[in-house]
mmCIF file of all heavy atoms in Angstrom:
data_model
loop_
_atom_site.group_PDB
_atom_site.id
_atom_site.type_symbol
_atom_site.label_atom_id
_atom_site.label_comp_id
_atom_site.label_asym_id
_atom_site.label_seq_id
_atom_site.Cartn_x
_atom_site.Cartn_y
_atom_site.Cartn_z
ATOM 1 N N SER A 1264 18.857 23.491 -0.159
ATOM 2 C CA SER A 1264 19.973 24.303 -0.672
ATOM 3 C C SER A 1264 19.633 24.964 -1.986
ATOM 4 O O SER A 1264 20.056 26.101 -2.257
ATOM 5 C CB SER A 1264 21.216 23.424 -0.810
ATOM 6 O OG SER A 1264 20.957 22.343 -1.711
ATOM 7 N N GLU A 1265 18.878 24.286 -2.871
ATOM 8 C CA GLU A 1265 18.454 24.874 -4.141
ATOM 9 C C GLU A 1265 17.562 26.093 -3.914
ATOM 10 O O GLU A 1265 17.660 27.094 -4.633
ATOM 11 C CB GLU A 1265 17.663 23.865 -4.976
ATOM 12 C CG GLU A 1265 18.436 22.679 -5.504
ATOM 13 C CD GLU A 1265 17.540 21.761 -6.309
ATOM 14 O OE1 GLU A 1265 17.217 22.118 -7.478
ATOM 15 O OE2 GLU A 1265 17.140 20.711 -5.792
ATOM 16 N N VAL A 1266 16.699 25.995 -2.937
ATOM 17 C CA VAL A 1266 15.729 27.050 -2.694
ATOM 18 C C VAL A 1266 16.399 28.275 -2.105
ATOM 19 O O VAL A 1266 16.222 29.401 -2.603
ATOM 20 C CB VAL A 1266 14.595 26.537 -1.770
ATOM 21 C CG1 VAL A 1266 13.683 27.693 -1.388
ATOM 22 C CG2 VAL A 1266 13.821 25.433 -2.461
ATOM 23 N N VAL A 1267 17.186 28.113 -1.037
ATOM 24 C CA VAL A 1267 17.739 29.290 -0.340
ATOM 25 C C VAL A 1267 18.790 29.998 -1.183
ATOM 26 O O VAL A 1267 19.063 31.184 -0.965
ATOM 27 C CB VAL A 1267 18.325 28.900 1.028
ATOM 28 C CG1 VAL A 1267 17.235 28.400 1.941
ATOM 29 C CG2 VAL A 1267 19.448 27.876 0.898
ATOM 30 N N SER A 1268 19.381 29.301 -2.169
ATOM 31 C CA SER A 1268 20.381 29.947 -3.011
ATOM 32 C C SER A 1268 19.771 31.069 -3.865
ATOM 33 O O SER A 1268 20.475 32.001 -4.232
ATOM 34 C CB SER A 1268 21.068 28.912 -3.916
ATOM 35 O OG SER A 1268 20.145 28.367 -4.840
ATOM 36 N N VAL A 1269 18.485 30.969 -4.151
ATOM 37 C CA VAL A 1269 17.819 32.002 -4.960
ATOM 38 C C VAL A 1269 16.675 32.687 -4.214
ATOM 39 O O VAL A 1269 16.144 33.688 -4.670
ATOM 40 C CB VAL A 1269 17.284 31.399 -6.284
ATOM 41 C CG1 VAL A 1269 18.431 30.917 -7.159
ATOM 42 C CG2 VAL A 1269 16.284 30.294 -6.030
ATOM 43 N N TYR A 1270 16.297 32.104 -3.068
ATOM 44 C CA TYR A 1270 15.162 32.660 -2.305
ATOM 45 C C TYR A 1270 15.521 32.584 -0.815
ATOM 46 O O TYR A 1270 15.016 31.748 -0.077
ATOM 47 C CB TYR A 1270 13.903 31.858 -2.609
ATOM 48 C CG TYR A 1270 12.647 32.368 -1.944
ATOM 49 C CD1 TYR A 1270 12.205 33.673 -2.130
ATOM 50 C CD2 TYR A 1270 11.893 31.518 -1.128
ATOM 51 C CE1 TYR A 1270 11.055 34.136 -1.525
ATOM 52 C CE2 TYR A 1270 10.734 31.974 -0.507
ATOM 53 C CZ TYR A 1270 10.318 33.273 -0.704
ATOM 54 O OH TYR A 1270 9.164 33.727 -0.106
ATOM 55 N N PRO A 1271 16.390 33.494 -0.330
ATOM 56 C CA PRO A 1271 16.831 33.464 1.053
ATOM 57 C C PRO A 1271 15.702 33.554 2.078
ATOM 58 O O PRO A 1271 15.848 33.061 3.215
ATOM 59 C CB PRO A 1271 17.764 34.685 1.154
ATOM 60 C CG PRO A 1271 18.187 34.957 -0.245
ATOM 61 C CD PRO A 1271 17.029 34.564 -1.111
ATOM 62 N N LYS A 1272 14.565 34.135 1.689
ATOM 63 C CA LYS A 1272 13.445 34.281 2.625
ATOM 64 C C LYS A 1272 12.907 32.922 3.095
ATOM 65 O O LYS A 1272 12.214 32.840 4.112
ATOM 66 C CB LYS A 1272 12.319 35.079 1.953
ATOM 67 C CG LYS A 1272 11.226 35.508 2.905
ATOM 68 C CD LYS A 1272 10.171 36.362 2.210
ATOM 69 C CE LYS A 1272 9.079 36.759 3.192
ATOM 70 N NZ LYS A 1272 8.039 37.583 2.522
ATOM 71 N N ALA A 1273 13.244 31.856 2.354
ATOM 72 C CA ALA A 1273 12.800 30.519 2.755
ATOM 73 C C ALA A 1273 13.291 30.163 4.140
ATOM 74 O O ALA A 1273 12.660 29.353 4.847
ATOM 75 C CB ALA A 1273 13.294 29.481 1.756
ATOM 76 N N LYS A 1274 14.398 30.752 4.586
ATOM 77 C CA LYS A 1274 14.923 30.482 5.917
ATOM 78 C C LYS A 1274 13.986 30.986 7.023
ATOM 79 O O LYS A 1274 14.108 30.584 8.167
ATOM 80 C CB LYS A 1274 16.302 31.126 6.073
ATOM 81 C CG LYS A 1274 17.366 30.551 5.159
ATOM 82 C CD LYS A 1274 18.699 31.264 5.370
ATOM 83 C CE LYS A 1274 19.780 30.712 4.460
ATOM 84 N NZ LYS A 1274 21.076 31.410 4.631
ATOM 85 N N GLU A 1275 13.050 31.871 6.634
ATOM 86 C CA GLU A 1275 12.139 32.470 7.619
ATOM 87 C C GLU A 1275 10.748 31.849 7.559
ATOM 88 O O GLU A 1275 9.938 32.048 8.485
ATOM 89 C CB GLU A 1275 12.027 33.977 7.373
ATOM 90 C CG GLU A 1275 13.359 34.702 7.352
ATOM 91 C CD GLU A 1275 13.208 36.135 6.851
ATOM 92 O OE1 GLU A 1275 12.054 36.587 6.717
ATOM 93 O OE2 GLU A 1275 14.233 36.790 6.596
ATOM 94 N N THR A 1276 10.441 31.124 6.501
ATOM 95 C CA THR A 1276 9.034 30.705 6.273
ATOM 96 C C THR A 1276 8.827 29.199 6.300
ATOM 97 O O THR A 1276 7.688 28.745 6.177
ATOM 98 C CB THR A 1276 8.536 31.235 4.934
ATOM 99 O OG1 THR A 1276 9.324 30.675 3.858
ATOM 100 C CG2 THR A 1276 8.617 32.748 4.866
ATOM 101 N N PHE A 1277 9.865 28.412 6.476
ATOM 102 C CA PHE A 1277 9.687 26.961 6.402
ATOM 103 C C PHE A 1277 8.914 26.408 7.583
ATOM 104 O O PHE A 1277 8.953 26.957 8.687
ATOM 105 C CB PHE A 1277 11.044 26.247 6.265
ATOM 106 C CG PHE A 1277 11.929 26.364 7.480
ATOM 107 C CD1 PHE A 1277 11.759 25.553 8.580
ATOM 108 C CD2 PHE A 1277 12.948 27.316 7.511
ATOM 109 C CE1 PHE A 1277 12.579 25.636 9.695
ATOM 110 C CE2 PHE A 1277 13.779 27.427 8.636
ATOM 111 C CZ PHE A 1277 13.580 26.588 9.724
ATOM 112 N N ILE A 1278 8.202 25.310 7.345
ATOM 113 C CA ILE A 1278 7.441 24.610 8.386
ATOM 114 C C ILE A 1278 7.891 23.158 8.384
ATOM 115 O O ILE A 1278 7.804 22.488 7.350
ATOM 116 C CB ILE A 1278 5.929 24.686 8.133
ATOM 117 C CG1 ILE A 1278 5.450 26.142 8.116
ATOM 118 C CG2 ILE A 1278 5.162 23.885 9.189
ATOM 119 C CD1 ILE A 1278 4.007 26.297 7.662
ATOM 120 N N TYR A 1279 8.381 22.667 9.500
ATOM 121 C CA TYR A 1279 8.802 21.265 9.570
ATOM 122 C C TYR A 1279 7.590 20.352 9.468
ATOM 123 O O TYR A 1279 6.575 20.561 10.151
ATOM 124 C CB TYR A 1279 9.548 20.986 10.876
ATOM 125 C CG TYR A 1279 9.892 19.531 11.052
ATOM 126 C CD1 TYR A 1279 10.930 18.936 10.339
ATOM 127 C CD2 TYR A 1279 9.139 18.729 11.905
ATOM 128 C CE1 TYR A 1279 11.227 17.597 10.481
ATOM 129 C CE2 TYR A 1279 9.436 17.370 12.051
ATOM 130 C CZ TYR A 1279 10.476 16.826 11.341
ATOM 131 O OH TYR A 1279 10.758 15.480 11.456
ATOM 132 N N LEU A 1280 7.680 19.306 8.650
ATOM 133 C CA LEU A 1280 6.583 18.354 8.459
ATOM 134 C C LEU A 1280 6.878 16.994 9.099
ATOM 135 O O LEU A 1280 6.194 16.577 10.020
ATOM 136 C CB LEU A 1280 6.290 18.169 6.961
ATOM 137 C CG LEU A 1280 5.808 19.416 6.220
ATOM 138 C CD1 LEU A 1280 5.587 19.103 4.752
ATOM 139 C CD2 LEU A 1280 4.554 19.980 6.845
ATOM 140 N N PHE A 1281 7.904 16.298 8.610
ATOM 141 C CA PHE A 1281 8.233 14.951 9.093
ATOM 142 C C PHE A 1281 9.588 14.585 8.519
ATOM 143 O O PHE A 1281 10.202 15.380 7.774
ATOM 144 C CB PHE A 1281 7.160 13.941 8.661
ATOM 145 C CG PHE A 1281 6.823 14.017 7.187
ATOM 146 C CD1 PHE A 1281 7.643 13.443 6.222
ATOM 147 C CD2 PHE A 1281 5.663 14.671 6.772
ATOM 148 C CE1 PHE A 1281 7.331 13.527 4.869
ATOM 149 C CE2 PHE A 1281 5.348 14.755 5.425
ATOM 150 C CZ PHE A 1281 6.174 14.185 4.477
ATOM 151 N N SER A 1282 10.060 13.383 8.832
ATOM 152 C CA SER A 1282 11.312 12.891 8.264
ATOM 153 C C SER A 1282 11.102 11.470 7.748
ATOM 154 O O SER A 1282 10.241 10.729 8.246
ATOM 155 C CB SER A 1282 12.431 12.878 9.316
ATOM 156 O OG SER A 1282 12.713 14.173 9.787
ATOM 157 N N ILE A 1283 11.855 11.127 6.732
ATOM 158 C CA ILE A 1283 11.956 9.747 6.246
ATOM 159 C C ILE A 1283 13.432 9.378 6.274
ATOM 160 O O ILE A 1283 14.244 10.051 5.654
ATOM 161 C CB ILE A 1283 11.362 9.594 4.839
ATOM 162 C CG1 ILE A 1283 9.855 9.861 4.887
ATOM 163 C CG2 ILE A 1283 11.634 8.182 4.291
ATOM 164 C CD1 ILE A 1283 9.163 9.739 3.523
ATOM 165 N N ASP A 1284 13.754 8.341 7.052
ATOM 166 C CA ASP A 1284 15.140 8.026 7.360
ATOM 167 C C ASP A 1284 15.766 9.254 8.022
ATOM 168 O O ASP A 1284 15.229 9.755 8.984
ATOM 169 C CB ASP A 1284 15.885 7.578 6.102
ATOM 170 C CG ASP A 1284 15.283 6.320 5.487
ATOM 171 O OD1 ASP A 1284 14.694 5.506 6.236
ATOM 172 O OD2 ASP A 1284 15.358 6.147 4.263
ATOM 173 N N LYS A 1285 16.837 9.780 7.456
ATOM 174 C CA LYS A 1285 17.490 10.933 8.059
ATOM 175 C C LYS A 1285 17.250 12.227 7.279
ATOM 176 O O LYS A 1285 17.886 13.256 7.541
ATOM 177 C CB LYS A 1285 18.987 10.680 8.190
ATOM 178 C CG LYS A 1285 19.324 9.537 9.158
ATOM 179 C CD LYS A 1285 20.826 9.344 9.295
ATOM 180 C CE LYS A 1285 21.144 8.225 10.269
ATOM 181 N NZ LYS A 1285 22.604 8.019 10.444
#
Side-chain angles (χ1 to χ4, degrees):
S1264 58
E1265 292 180 76
V1266 173
V1267 296
S1268 66
V1269 296
Y1270 183 57
K1272 191 177 179 181
K1274 295 179 180 179
E1275 305 169 10
T1276 62
F1277 66 82
I1278 300 172
Y1279 175 76
L1280 297 179
F1281 49 79
S1282 298
I1283 295 180
D1284 299 332
K1285 296 182 179 180

